[in-house]
Amino acid sequence: MEKIEVQASSLLASQPIVNDFSIAFGTINGSGSQTANTTLLRALFRMGIPVSGKNIFPSNIQGQPTWYTIRLSKDGFLARRETTEIVVSMNQATLTQDMERLLPGGVLFYPDELRQILIREDIVAYPMPVKKLSKESDVPPNLRDYIANMVYVGVVAEMLGIDLDKIHEALVFHFKGKQKPVDSNFNVVKAAAEWSAANLEKRDPYRVEPMEATQGCILTDGNTAAALGAIYGGIQFAAWYPITPASSLAEALNDYLPILRKDPVTGKATYAVVQAEDELAAIGMAIGAGWAGLRSMTSTSGPGLSLMTEYAGLAYYAEVPLVIWDVQRVGPSTGLPTRTAQGDLTVVKSLGHGDSQHVILLPATVSECFEFGWKAFDIAEHLQTPVFVLSDLDLGMNEWMSPPFDYPDRPMDRGKVLWEKDIEKLGCDWGRYKDIDGDGIPYRTIPGNRHPKSAYFARGTGHDENAHYSEDPEIWEKNLARLVQKFQTAKNVVPPPYLDLVQGAEVGIITFGSAEPAVIEARALLANAGIKSDYMRIRAIPFPDDVEVFLRKHDRNYVVEMNRDGQLNQILCQEIPDKAASLISIAHLDGLPLTAGWVENAIRSYEEEK
């Protein structure tokens, strides 16, 4: 066969570009492209190449454009990039837009049935016989539109040098070893790869080579990690209502609990997961279970959190332990359900009516999603309070590289729970809301305690130390002051910040959550430009003392976050007001994960103006 002529750019690099570029896939929502994209992601990961995948999909209806980007980074950087070197465009409606994303010298893969295409002269374009190869496959006609995506898997694999054995392994993993779908999909991949070898002349510099940078690592998403962490933390009850992007967290509980949490003798479940009629009912059930002594949780996103507000205040004031996962998305209102943000921080900190202060955990990696999945229960029961864990869509729903999870290394912390003999020892000192130890945390009893003094009336209205109803002003103020003391105690219970200090650094960079990958890479870029930085990633509110120490070390502290108003910056100014002048907000929100380039440019512009 003759090699197919393709457009070639005079700007093409003379040297190969290996394991250091991005591939974007432009497809149609509901077309089955996710299987193809994650197959390529997992194959590259199995080749030992550091990768990250970002799925940008619509929130409305099937048939709308969707994009998925794989970044390969030999240096291990995992943040989204502004630029794209390779585009696979399967959607006629977005082909022009997809081409515009390409850097000069980039590569375009497209179905050869797409007509009236004006190819840029500064890129390489490879047509693919998608319809022909999918028609020749052994799948039923109604599945050909789905199997068609495997054509670009085979073509891209052949042209970049992706190991087909790794593609096969990825398909086996995806289809859980089911031979028929594995064979059907892999046969199309092989046919497309063979066609490419025979018909396409490689004219671009991009290729992959095996590495060993992923050895010992896993590839998973934050919602699955959170669910597993909760299971290993002893979860007994979960109530939820479906909402993007939190639904897959509860769905992962339903997937793994039947495997991991059955009584070995009776075979019965040792847990309960309830899909409630709405978010209000979900948190109400979770509070009831937490009051009864179960390790209890719910999961939601911003709009659902709004419905939970009154109940959150009840749990805070009645001092009921439970865990609430907030997988954040873009607001206000229902916002952008399938885009990522860090916009719930200020509302969660004081969620409720009147005076309340909530404990917040801020994971930045899937391994921390697992870690905080179990630690949140310990902290909630130790402090007898709701604990909010703020993840987001990018961390929760996208696939991330991670070291294997560190499983719980200590017994469960059930906190100050009294049983019959304990009450006998305390005698008259026992009162449900009485602070005996001076840390603001009272003792509690749970159903099953048969001591006649163990019972108390749980209420969300005013009460004294013995849980008796009271509207006495002094009693009210004393109770609220104790809750403030408990919040101060929490500083020594929550995870400390992550710190990376550099000799000679004049500025500090502060962030939280999934903004970290962009900040890590931006620090490297800034260092290359002669701007050394110390780094602090905040992992919890209230702030441990290390946070204030870090702020006082620098005249300029850049606070990087994914929201419009600089919410972490606001809270830092409130908590450490005399250092507010040193805080510079670097806040950005467009619904997409932060990029290192944006962070670098924002900080450099400030540094150049000072």
Side-chain angles (χ1 to χ4, degrees):
M1 294 185 187
E2 287 188 46
K3 296 286 184 181
I4 292 178
E5 291 291 331
V6 297
Q7 296 285 335
S9 168
S10 60
L11 301 176
L12 289 178
S14 58
Q15 296 297 320
I17 300 173
V18 182
N19 298 347
D20 195 15
F21 51 86
S22 292
I23 314 171
F25 304 87
T27 57
I28 298 173
N29 194 35
S31 66
S33 58
Q34 187 70 356
T35 300
N37 299 334
T38 55
T39 294
L40 284 167
L41 180 77
R42 290 181 180 128
L44 292 164
F45 173 78
R46 288 169 181 266
M47 288 181 67
I49 305 167
V51 288
S52 62
K54 307 290 184 190
N55 191 22
I56 307 299
F57 58 102
S59 61
N60 44 18
I61 58 173
Q62 183 171 332
Q64 294 296 304
T66 183
W67 290 272
Y68 187 88
T69 302
I70 296 176
R71 179 181 181 183
L72 296 76
S73 172
K74 57 183 175 57
D75 298 316
F77 294 125
L78 302 179
R80 185 178 71 89
R81 295 171 67 236
E82 299 96 333
T83 57
T84 304
E85 288 82 4
I86 299 173
V87 166
V88 179
S89 184
M90 298 288 287
N91 186 355
Q92 176 84 62
T94 63
L95 179 60
T96 300
Q97 179 183 351
D98 292 340
M99 254 194 296
E100 289 174 353
R101 300 179 61 178
L102 281 170
L103 288 171
V107 180
L108 173 70
F109 293 92
Y110 68 96
D112 61 5
E113 66 266 20
L114 298 187
R115 303 302 179 195
Q116 299 178 334
I117 300 172
L118 185 61
I119 303 294
R120 282 172 47 184
E121 293 185 357
D122 62 344
I123 64 173
V124 171
Y126 296 119
M128 305 178 294
V130 174
K131 278 191 175 180
K132 177 180 181 294
L133 292 178
S134 58
K135 188 176 181 179
E136 293 173 355
S137 67
D138 60 353
V139 301
N142 63 318
L143 296 178
R144 286 176 186 166
D145 287 343
Y146 297 97
I147 206 78
N149 295 302
M150 287 297 154
V151 173
Y152 72 71
V153 172
V155 174
V156 170
E158 173 62 28
M159 299 306 288
L160 294 183
I162 301 173
D163 189 339
L164 288 188
D165 288 340
K166 303 302 181 185
I167 296 281
H168 188 267
E169 291 175 10
L171 288 170
V172 171
F173 177 87
H174 180 82
F175 290 109
K176 298 180 172 59
K178 297 176 183 176
Q179 198 63 43
K180 187 173 181 180
V182 170
D183 290 345
S184 297
N185 283 271
F186 190 62
N187 287 340
V188 175
V189 171
K190 285 195 301 182
E194 290 167 0
W195 179 91
S196 302
N199 292 278
L200 295 179
E201 178 185 355
K202 187 169 178 63
R203 301 290 301 278
D204 66 88
Y206 303 102
R207 60 187 176 86
V208 301
E209 290 181 356
M211 297 176 61
E212 294 183 355
T214 66
Q215 194 167 20
C217 291
I218 61 173
L219 195 65
T220 190
D221 62 271
N223 283 353
T224 298
L228 287 169
I231 293 169
Y232 279 86
I235 184 175
Q236 295 165 295
F237 181 85
W240 69 294
Y241 183 77
I243 185 171
T244 301
S247 294
S248 60
L249 198 162
E251 290 164 355
L253 287 175
N254 281 324
D255 287 341
Y256 289 101
L257 276 168
I259 301 170
L260 299 172
R261 290 290 298 282
K262 283 186 177 181
D263 186 286
V265 177
T266 66
K268 292 183 178 180
T270 59
Y271 62 89
V273 179
V274 179
Q275 182 175 329
E277 61 266 37
D278 54 31
E279 290 88 352
L280 190 65
I283 192 172
M285 293 176 187
I287 291 172
W291 171 84
L294 301 184
R295 292 207 143 186
S296 173
M297 67 168 281
T298 186
S299 57
T300 190
S301 192
L305 204 64
S306 299
L307 294 176
M308 296 180 176
T309 300
E310 185 176 1
Y311 262 136
L314 169 65
Y316 170 80
Y317 187 60
E319 300 182 66
V320 177
L322 77 149
V323 173
I324 302 104
W325 276 82
D326 173 19
V327 188
Q328 299 167 96
R329 69 191 207 188
V330 176
S333 186
T334 49
L336 301 176
T338 59
R339 298 292 186 268
T340 196
Q342 296 177 317
D344 294 346
L345 196 61
T346 51
V347 69
V348 169
K349 183 175 181 291
S350 57
L351 190 69
H353 305 118
D355 298 306
S356 56
Q357 297 172 295
H358 292 299
V359 174
I360 303 173
L361 304 185
L362 302 167
T365 64
V366 293
S367 60
E368 280 190 340
C369 286
F370 179 89
E371 177 189 351
F372 293 175
W374 64 267
K375 282 186 176 177
F377 287 119
D378 280 358
I379 296 169
E381 292 202 300
H382 184 95
L383 297 170
Q384 297 176 36
T385 196
V387 170
F388 291 82
V389 190
L390 267 59
S391 176
D392 59 47
L393 183 146
D394 184 27
L395 180 56
M397 293 189 69
N398 285 324
E399 299 274 328
W400 293 83
M401 279 179 51
S402 172
F405 302 147
D406 292 325
Y407 296 110
D409 55 359
R410 58 178 185 253
M412 293 181 189
D413 183 353
R414 301 306 307 268
K416 298 179 178 180
V417 177
L418 298 178
W419 294 102
E420 289 85 351
K421 291 181 180 180
D422 303 315
I423 293 177
E424 286 296 329
K425 291 179 182 178
L426 287 173
C428 294
D429 284 337
W430 153 244
R432 172 62 184 98
Y433 297 110
K434 188 173 185 179
D435 183 7
I436 297 173
D437 304 319
D439 58 5
I441 307 170
Y443 286 81
R444 67 177 175 132
T445 58
I446 56 179
N449 188 320
R450 299 185 179 186
H451 196 285
K453 293 183 179 180
S454 67
Y456 65 93
F457 191 87
R459 61 171 80 246
T461 48
H463 49 254
D464 64 13
E465 290 180 337
N466 297 305
H468 298 148
Y469 177 72
S470 174
E471 294 186 12
D472 185 288
E474 291 184 7
I475 290 175
W476 177 263
E477 286 196 316
K478 183 180 179 181
N479 205 19
L480 286 191
R482 181 180 58 77
L483 290 172
V484 171
Q485 175 60 38
K486 182 165 74 170
F487 195 71
Q488 295 302 312
T489 298
K491 291 182 178 182
N492 300 316
V493 177
V494 299
Y498 170 80
L499 299 171
D500 182 19
L501 306 180
V502 175
Q503 187 173 3
E506 295 184 357
V507 302
I509 301 179
I510 304 165
T511 194
F512 73 100
S514 69
E516 177 171 71
V519 173
I520 289 175
E521 187 174 358
R523 289 184 70 212
L525 296 172
L526 289 166
N528 290 337
I531 302 173
K532 294 182 179 180
S533 63
D534 288 333
Y535 175 55
M536 176 172 65
R537 176 167 60 81
I538 292 176
R539 302 203 298 160
I541 295 175
F543 302 132
D545 292 339
D546 288 349
V547 172
E548 182 174 348
V549 172
F550 184 91
L551 261 60
R552 297 196 181 284
K553 190 174 184 290
H554 312 98
D555 293 329
R556 296 182 305 286
N557 290 291
Y558 294 98
V559 186
V560 182
E561 49 191 313
M562 288 189 296
N563 52 63
R564 184 192 67 183
D565 298 332
Q567 295 183 17
L568 177 60
N569 186 69
Q570 292 176 26
I571 296 172
L572 287 166
C573 289
Q574 292 168 359
E575 298 291 325
I576 313 169
D578 65 311
K579 286 299 293 181
S582 77
L583 296 167
I584 303 167
S585 179
I586 305 293
H588 182 60
L589 177 63
D590 59 4
L592 302 175
L594 279 181
T595 65
W598 186 89
V599 175
E600 179 206 11
N601 290 335
I603 293 176
R604 284 187 70 171
S605 65
Y606 276 101
E607 286 295 296
E608 290 168 0
E609 291 174 4
K610 69 177 176 63

